[in-house]
Coordinates of all heavy atoms in Angstrom, one line a residue:
M1 N 3.3 1.1 28.6 CA 2.8 0.8 27.2 C 3.9 0.5 26.3 O 4.9 1.2 26.2 CB 2.0 2.0 26.7 CG 0.9 1.6 25.7 SD -0.2 2.9 25.3 CE 0.6 3.6 23.8
K2 N 3.8 -0.6 25.6 CA 4.8 -1.0 24.7 C 4.6 -0.4 23.3 O 3.6 -0.3 22.7 CB 4.8 -2.6 24.6 CG 6.1 -3.2 24.3 CD 5.9 -4.7 24.3 CE 7.3 -5.3 23.8 NZ 7.1 -6.7 23.7
E3 N 5.7 0.1 22.8 CA 5.6 0.7 21.5 C 6.4 -0.1 20.4 O 7.4 -0.6 20.6 CB 6.3 2.1 21.5 CG 5.5 3.1 22.2 CD 6.1 4.5 22.1 OE1 7.3 4.6 21.6 OE2 5.5 5.5 22.5
R4 N 5.7 -0.3 19.3 CA 6.3 -1.0 18.2 C 7.1 -0.1 17.4 O 6.7 1.1 17.2 CB 5.2 -1.6 17.3 CG 4.6 -2.9 18.0 CD 3.8 -3.7 17.0 NE 2.8 -2.9 16.3 CZ 2.4 -3.1 15.1 NH1 2.8 -4.0 14.3 NH2 1.3 -2.3 14.6
I5 N 8.2 -0.5 16.9 CA 9.0 0.4 16.1 C 9.0 0.0 14.7 O 9.2 -1.2 14.3 CB 10.4 0.4 16.6 CG1 10.4 1.0 18.0 CG2 11.4 1.2 15.8 CD1 11.8 0.9 18.7
K6 N 8.8 1.0 13.7 CA 8.9 0.7 12.3 C 10.0 1.6 11.8 O 10.1 2.7 12.2 CB 7.6 1.0 11.7 CG 6.5 -0.1 11.8 CD 5.6 0.0 10.7 CE 4.3 -0.9 11.0 NZ 4.8 -2.3 11.3
Y7 N 10.6 1.0 10.9 CA 11.7 1.7 10.2 C 11.3 2.1 8.8 O 10.7 1.3 8.1 CB 13.1 1.0 10.1 CG 13.7 0.7 11.5 CD1 13.3 -0.4 12.3 CD2 14.4 1.7 12.0 CE1 13.8 -0.6 13.6 CE2 14.9 1.5 13.4 CZ 14.6 0.4 14.1 OH 15.1 0.3 15.4
C8 N 11.8 3.2 8.4 CA 11.5 3.7 7.0 C 12.2 2.6 6.0 O 13.3 2.3 6.2 CB 12.1 5.0 6.8 SG 11.9 5.6 5.0
N9 N 11.4 2.3 5.1 CA 11.9 1.2 4.1 C 13.0 1.8 3.2 O 13.8 1.1 2.8 CB 10.7 0.9 3.2 CG 11.0 -0.3 2.4 OD1 11.4 -0.1 1.2 ND2 11.0 -1.5 2.9
L10 N 13.2 3.1 3.2 CA 14.2 3.7 2.3 C 15.4 4.2 3.0 O 16.5 3.9 2.6 CB 13.6 4.8 1.4 CG 12.5 4.3 0.5 CD1 11.8 5.5 -0.1 CD2 13.2 3.4 -0.6
C11 N 15.3 4.9 4.2 CA 16.4 5.4 4.9 C 16.7 4.7 6.1 O 17.7 5.0 6.8 CB 16.2 6.9 5.0 SG 14.8 7.4 6.0
N12 N 15.9 3.7 6.5 CA 16.1 2.9 7.7 C 16.2 3.6 9.1 O 16.9 3.2 9.9 CB 17.3 2.0 7.5 CG 17.0 0.8 6.7 OD1 16.0 0.1 6.9 ND2 17.8 0.6 5.7
I13 N 15.5 4.7 9.1 CA 15.4 5.5 10.3 C 14.0 5.3 10.9 O 13.1 5.3 10.2 CB 15.7 7.0 10.1 CG1 17.1 7.1 9.5 CG2 15.6 7.7 11.4 CD1 17.5 8.5 9.1
D14 N 13.9 5.2 12.2 CA 12.6 5.1 12.8 C 12.0 6.4 13.1 O 12.7 7.3 13.6 CB 12.5 4.1 14.0 CG 12.7 4.8 15.3 OD1 11.8 5.5 15.7 OD2 13.7 4.5 16.0
F15 N 10.8 6.6 12.7 CA 10.0 7.8 12.9 C 8.8 7.6 13.7 O 8.2 6.4 13.6 CB 9.7 8.4 11.5 CG 10.8 9.0 10.8 CD1 11.6 8.2 9.9 CD2 11.3 10.3 11.0 CE1 12.7 8.7 9.3 CE2 12.4 10.8 10.3 CZ 13.1 10.0 9.4
S16 N 8.2 8.6 14.3 CA 7.0 8.3 15.1 C 5.8 8.3 14.2 O 4.7 7.8 14.5 CB 6.8 9.4 16.1 OG 6.9 10.7 15.6
T17 N 6.0 8.9 13.0 CA 4.9 8.9 12.0 C 5.4 8.3 10.8 O 6.4 8.8 10.2 CB 4.3 10.4 11.7 OG1 3.8 10.9 13.0 CG2 3.1 10.3 10.8
M18 N 4.7 7.3 10.2 CA 5.1 6.7 9.0 C 3.9 6.7 8.0 O 2.8 6.8 8.4 CB 5.5 5.2 9.3 CG 6.6 5.1 10.3 SD 8.2 5.7 9.8 CE 8.7 4.4 8.6
Y19 N 4.3 6.5 6.7 CA 3.2 6.5 5.7 C 3.3 5.2 5.0 O 4.4 4.7 4.6 CB 3.5 7.7 4.7 CG 3.4 9.0 5.5 CD1 4.5 9.6 6.0 CD2 2.2 9.6 5.7 CE1 4.5 10.7 6.8 CE2 2.1 10.8 6.4 CZ 3.3 11.4 6.9 OH 3.2 12.5 7.7
R20 N 2.2 4.6 4.9 CA 2.1 3.3 4.2 C 1.9 3.6 2.7 O 0.9 4.1 2.3 CB 1.0 2.5 4.8 CG 1.0 1.0 4.5 CD 0.1 0.3 5.4 NE -1.2 0.4 5.0 CZ -2.0 -0.7 4.6 NH1 -1.5 -1.9 4.7 NH2 -3.2 -0.6 4.2
V21 N 2.8 3.1 1.9 CA 2.7 3.2 0.5 C 3.1 2.0 -0.3 O 3.7 1.1 0.2 CB 3.6 4.4 0.0 CG1 3.2 5.7 0.5 CG2 5.1 4.1 0.3
Q22 N 2.6 2.0 -1.5 CA 2.9 0.8 -2.4 C 3.3 1.5 -3.7 O 2.8 2.4 -4.3 CB 1.5 0.2 -2.8 CG 1.6 -1.3 -2.7 CD 0.2 -1.9 -2.9 OE1 -0.6 -1.4 -3.8 NE2 -0.2 -2.9 -2.3
Y23 N 4.6 1.2 -4.1 CA 5.1 2.0 -5.2 C 6.0 1.0 -6.2 O 6.4 1.4 -7.2 CB 6.0 3.1 -4.8 CG 7.3 2.6 -4.1 CD1 8.5 2.5 -4.9 CD2 7.3 2.4 -2.7 CE1 9.6 2.2 -4.2 CE2 8.5 2.0 -2.1 CZ 9.7 1.8 -2.8 OH 10.7 1.5 -2.2
K24 N 6.1 -0.2 -5.8 CA 6.9 -1.1 -6.7 C 6.2 -2.4 -7.1 O 5.2 -2.7 -6.5 CB 8.2 -1.5 -6.0 CG 8.2 -1.9 -4.6 CD 9.5 -2.0 -4.0 CE 9.5 -2.4 -2.6 NZ 10.7 -2.4 -1.9
N25 N 6.8 -3.0 -8.1 CA 6.2 -4.3 -8.5 C 7.1 -5.5 -8.0 O 8.3 -5.3 -8.2 CB 6.1 -4.3 -10.1 CG 4.7 -3.7 -10.5 OD1 3.7 -4.0 -10.0 ND2 4.9 -2.8 -11.4
P26 N 6.7 -6.6 -7.5 CA 5.3 -6.8 -7.2 C 4.7 -5.8 -6.2 O 5.6 -5.4 -5.3 CB 5.1 -8.3 -6.8 CG 6.5 -8.5 -6.3 CD 7.5 -7.7 -7.2
K27 N 3.5 -5.6 -6.2 CA 2.8 -4.7 -5.2 C 3.1 -5.3 -3.7 O 2.8 -6.4 -3.4 CB 1.3 -4.6 -5.4 CG 1.0 -3.9 -6.7 CD 0.8 -2.5 -6.6 CE 0.9 -1.7 -7.8 NZ -0.1 -1.9 -8.8
E28 N 3.6 -4.2 -3.0 CA 4.0 -4.6 -1.6 C 3.8 -3.4 -0.8 O 4.3 -2.3 -1.2 CB 5.4 -5.1 -1.6 CG 5.9 -5.6 -0.3 CD 7.5 -5.8 -0.4 OE1 8.1 -5.8 -1.5 OE2 8.1 -5.9 0.7
W29 N 3.2 -3.5 0.4 CA 3.1 -2.3 1.3 C 4.4 -2.1 2.0 O 4.9 -3.0 2.6 CB 1.9 -2.5 2.2 CG 0.5 -2.4 1.6 CD1 -0.2 -3.4 1.4 CD2 0.0 -1.2 1.0 NE1 -1.4 -2.9 0.7 CE2 -1.2 -1.6 0.5 CE3 0.4 0.2 1.1 CZ2 -2.1 -0.7 0.0 CZ3 -0.5 1.0 0.4 CH2 -1.7 0.6 -0.1
V30 N 4.9 -0.9 2.0 CA 6.1 -0.6 2.8 C 5.8 0.7 3.6 O 4.9 1.6 3.3 CB 7.3 -0.3 1.9 CG1 7.7 -1.6 1.2 CG2 7.1 0.7 0.9
F31 N 6.5 0.9 4.6 CA 6.4 2.1 5.5 C 7.6 3.0 5.1 O 8.7 2.6 5.1 CB 6.4 1.8 7.0 CG 5.1 1.1 7.3 CD1 4.9 -0.2 7.4 CD2 4.0 1.9 7.7 CE1 3.7 -0.8 7.7 CE2 2.8 1.4 8.1 CZ 2.7 0.0 8.2
V32 N 7.3 4.3 4.9 CA 8.3 5.3 4.7 C 8.1 6.5 5.6 O 6.9 6.7 6.0 CB 8.4 5.7 3.1 CG1 8.8 4.5 2.2 CG2 7.1 6.3 2.7
C33 N 9.1 7.3 5.7 CA 9.0 8.6 6.4 C 8.4 9.6 5.5 O 8.4 9.4 4.2 CB 10.3 8.9 7.1 SG 11.5 9.3 5.8
E34 N 8.2 10.7 6.1 CA 7.7 11.9 5.3 C 8.6 12.3 4.2 O 8.2 12.6 3.1 CB 7.3 13.0 6.2 CG 6.5 14.1 5.6 CD 6.0 15.1 6.5 OE1 6.5 15.2 7.7 OE2 5.1 16.0 6.1
Q35 N 10.0 12.4 4.5 CA 10.9 12.8 3.6 C 10.9 11.9 2.4 O 11.0 12.3 1.2 CB 12.3 12.8 4.2 CG 12.5 13.9 5.3 CD 12.3 15.3 4.7 OE1 12.9 15.6 3.7 NE2 11.6 16.2 5.3
C36 N 10.9 10.6 2.6 CA 11.0 9.6 1.5 C 9.7 9.6 0.8 O 9.7 9.3 -0.4 CB 11.3 8.3 2.1 SG 12.9 8.2 2.8
L37 N 8.6 9.8 1.4 CA 7.3 9.9 0.8 C 7.3 11.0 -0.3 O 6.9 10.8 -1.4 CB 6.2 10.2 1.8 CG 4.8 10.3 1.2 CD1 4.2 9.0 0.6 CD2 3.8 10.9 2.2
L38 N 7.9 12.1 0.0 CA 8.0 13.3 -0.9 C 8.9 12.8 -2.2 O 8.5 13.2 -3.3 CB 8.5 14.5 -0.2 CG 7.7 15.1 0.8 CD1 8.4 16.2 1.6 CD2 6.5 15.6 0.3
Q39 N 9.9 12.1 -1.8 CA 10.7 11.5 -3.0 C 9.9 10.6 -3.8 O 10.1 10.7 -5.1 CB 11.9 10.7 -2.4 CG 12.8 11.7 -1.5 CD 13.6 12.7 -2.2 OE1 14.0 12.5 -3.4 NE2 13.7 13.8 -1.6
L40 N 9.2 9.8 -3.2 CA 8.4 8.8 -4.0 C 7.4 9.4 -4.8 O 7.2 9.0 -6.0 CB 7.7 7.8 -3.0 CG 8.5 6.7 -2.4 CD1 7.6 5.9 -1.4 CD2 9.2 5.9 -3.3
K41 N 6.8 10.4 -4.4 CA 5.8 11.2 -5.1 C 6.3 11.7 -6.4 O 5.6 11.7 -7.5 CB 5.2 12.4 -4.3 CG 4.2 11.9 -3.3 CD 3.6 13.1 -2.5 CE 2.6 12.8 -1.5 NZ 2.2 13.9 -0.7
K42 N 7.6 12.1 -6.3 CA 8.2 12.7 -7.6 C 8.6 11.6 -8.5 O 8.4 11.7 -9.7 CB 9.5 13.5 -7.2 CG 9.2 14.8 -6.5 CD 10.6 15.4 -6.1 CE 10.3 16.5 -5.0 NZ 11.6 16.9 -4.4
K43 N 9.1 10.5 -8.0 CA 9.6 9.4 -8.8 C 8.6 8.4 -9.4 O 8.7 8.0 -10.5 CB 10.7 8.6 -8.1 CG 12.0 9.2 -7.9 CD 13.0 8.3 -7.3 CE 14.2 8.9 -6.7 NZ 15.0 8.1 -5.8
Y44 N 7.6 8.2 -8.5 CA 6.6 7.2 -8.9 C 5.2 7.8 -9.0 O 4.6 8.1 -8.0 CB 6.6 6.0 -8.0 CG 7.9 5.3 -7.8 CD1 8.8 5.8 -6.8 CD2 8.3 4.3 -8.7 CE1 10.0 5.2 -6.6 CE2 9.5 3.7 -8.5 CZ 10.4 4.1 -7.5 OH 11.6 3.5 -7.3
S45 N 4.8 8.0 -10.3 CA 3.5 8.7 -10.3 C 2.4 7.8 -10.0 O 1.3 8.2 -9.7 CB 3.3 9.2 -11.8 OG 3.6 8.1 -12.7
D46 N 2.6 6.5 -10.1 CA 1.5 5.5 -9.8 C 1.6 5.0 -8.3 O 1.0 3.9 -8.1 CB 1.5 4.5 -10.8 CG 2.8 3.6 -10.7 OD1 3.7 4.1 -10.2 OD2 2.7 2.4 -11.2
Y47 N 2.2 5.6 -7.5 CA 2.3 5.2 -6.0 C 1.0 5.2 -5.5 O 0.1 6.0 -5.8 CB 3.4 5.9 -5.3 CG 2.9 7.2 -4.5 CD1 2.5 7.1 -3.2 CD2 2.6 8.3 -5.3 CE1 2.0 8.1 -2.6 CE2 2.1 9.4 -4.6 CZ 1.7 9.3 -3.3 OH 1.2 10.4 -2.6
K48 N 0.8 4.3 -4.5 CA -0.5 4.3 -3.8 C -0.3 4.6 -2.4 O 0.6 4.0 -1.7 CB -1.1 2.8 -4.0 CG -2.6 2.7 -4.0 CD -3.0 1.4 -4.5 CE -4.2 0.8 -3.9 NZ -4.4 -0.6 -4.2
Y49 N -1.2 5.4 -1.8 CA -1.1 5.8 -0.4 C -2.1 5.0 0.4 O -3.2 4.9 0.1 CB -1.4 7.3 -0.3 CG -1.5 7.8 1.1 CD1 -0.4 7.9 1.9 CD2 -2.7 8.2 1.7 CE1 -0.4 8.3 3.2 CE2 -2.8 8.7 2.9 CZ -1.7 8.8 3.7 OH -1.8 9.3 4.9
G50 N -1.5 4.4 1.5 CA -2.4 3.5 2.2 C -2.7 3.9 3.6 O -3.2 3.1 4.4
G51 N -2.4 5.2 4.0 CA -2.7 5.6 5.3 C -1.5 6.0 6.2 O -0.3 5.7 5.8
T52 N -1.8 6.7 7.2 CA -0.7 7.2 8.1 C -0.7 6.3 9.3 O -1.7 5.8 9.8 CB -1.0 8.6 8.5 OG1 -1.2 9.4 7.3 CG2 0.2 9.2 9.3
W53 N 0.6 6.0 9.7 CA 0.7 5.1 10.9 C 1.5 5.8 11.9 O 2.5 6.4 11.7 CB 1.5 3.8 10.4 CG 1.6 2.7 11.4 CD1 0.7 1.7 11.5 CD2 2.6 2.6 12.5 NE1 1.1 0.9 12.6 CE2 2.2 1.4 13.2 CE3 3.8 3.3 12.8 CZ2 3.1 0.9 14.2 CZ3 4.5 2.8 13.8 CH2 4.2 1.6 14.5
K54 N 0.9 5.8 13.1 CA 1.5 6.5 14.3 C 1.8 5.7 15.4 O 1.0 4.8 15.7 CB 0.6 7.8 14.7 CG 0.8 8.8 13.8 CD -0.1 10.0 14.2 CE -0.2 11.1 13.1 NZ -1.1 12.2 13.3
K55 N 2.8 5.9 16.1 CA 3.1 5.1 17.3 C 2.1 5.3 18.5 O 1.7 6.5 18.6 CB 4.5 5.5 17.8 CG 5.6 4.7 17.2 CD 7.0 5.1 17.8 CE 8.1 4.6 16.9 NZ 9.4 5.2 17.3
Ligands
ZN101 ZN1 12.8 7.6 5.0

């Protein structure tokens, strides 16, 4: 089985579980890891959560 790899938009490390979020303008979906998601939550109050992505 072939696995697609996604890298965290902020720290550029690949994780098996990623979170799809929208936090900047223009609106754009990006994948981030759990650590970065927690950072985003603090910095951007209007971030949008778009689901969890697993390998
Ligand atoms: Zn990250």
Side-chain angles (χ1 to χ4, degrees):
M1 206 169 97
K2 207 174 173 184
E3 286 186 348
R4 283 194 305 151
I5 295 171
K6 281 208 190 307
Y7 293 91
C8 173
N9 191 258
L10 296 171
C11 61
N12 281 312
I13 298 171
D14 92 64
F15 288 90
S16 56
T17 302
M18 304 291 286
Y19 301 89
R20 200 164 78 118
V21 293
Q22 226 177 37
Y23 68 95
K24 47 189 176 183
N25 275 313
K27 292 264 158 70
E28 187 192 345
W29 287 109
V30 294
F31 286 94
V32 296
C33 66
E34 193 174 8
Q35 291 298 315
C36 294
L37 177 69
L38 294 173
Q39 300 291 320
L40 286 182
K41 278 183 183 174
K42 288 179 199 163
K43 284 188 198 167
Y44 305 89
S45 54
D46 62 340
Y47 89 101
K48 208 165 148 191
Y49 174 69
T52 305
W53 190 89
K54 282 178 189 174
K55 271 183 195 171

